[in-house]
């Protein structure tokens, strides 16, 4: 699996302050390899290119956190959603 985040400003070379989420790359369906499980755009924009992390890391890079919607959809896709729900209910 791959992951991505909205990347660096082409003008400054730094990650934009509003970039906080690491998205899981969608490999099928709408825009495969170009969008996140949550539907986030993974293609280049005017001032922001995506940074693709291949393979997907176990932990997000410093300053980022997992996109909750991507994690939930990926868990459902691989059959782990029920286990996560059961673990949450046990709390």
């Amino acid at each position: 699996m791959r992951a991505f985040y909205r990347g660096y400003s082409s003008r400054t070379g730094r990650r934009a302050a509003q970039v906080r989420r690491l998205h899981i790359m969608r490999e099928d369906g709408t825009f495969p390899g170009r969008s996140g499980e949550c539907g986030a755009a993974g293609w280049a924009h005017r001032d922001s290119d995506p940074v693709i992390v291949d393979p997907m890391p176990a932990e997000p890079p410093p300053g980022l956190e997992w996109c909750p919607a991507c994690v939930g959809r990926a868990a459902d896709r691989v059959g782990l959603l029920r286990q996560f729900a059961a673990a949450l209910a046990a709390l």
Side-chain angles (χ1 to χ4, degrees):
M1 295 181 90
R2 299 182 294 166
F4 73 94
Y5 58 92
R6 295 299 325 156
Y8 294 81
S9 167
S10 56
R11 289 175 282 166
T12 65
R14 296 184 314 230
R15 186 173 73 217
Q18 68 270 25
V19 174
R20 303 254 188 261
R21 299 284 169 92
L22 181 64
H23 299 277
I24 299 173
M25 184 74 72
R26 182 178 191 90
E27 301 296 351
D28 64 353
T30 306
F31 302 114
R34 295 183 54 214
S35 68
E37 288 282 347
C38 67
W43 52 83
H45 287 246
R46 186 179 76 179
D47 291 324
S48 175
D49 292 327
V51 176
I52 298 174
V53 183
D54 188 9
M56 183 175 82
E59 295 289 325
L64 297 176
E65 59 187 41
W66 289 110
C67 170
C70 283
V71 170
R73 288 184 175 105
D76 186 37
R77 183 180 305 275
V78 297
L80 296 174
L81 189 60
R82 288 177 186 238
Q83 291 175 355
F84 287 152
L88 290 172
L91 299 174

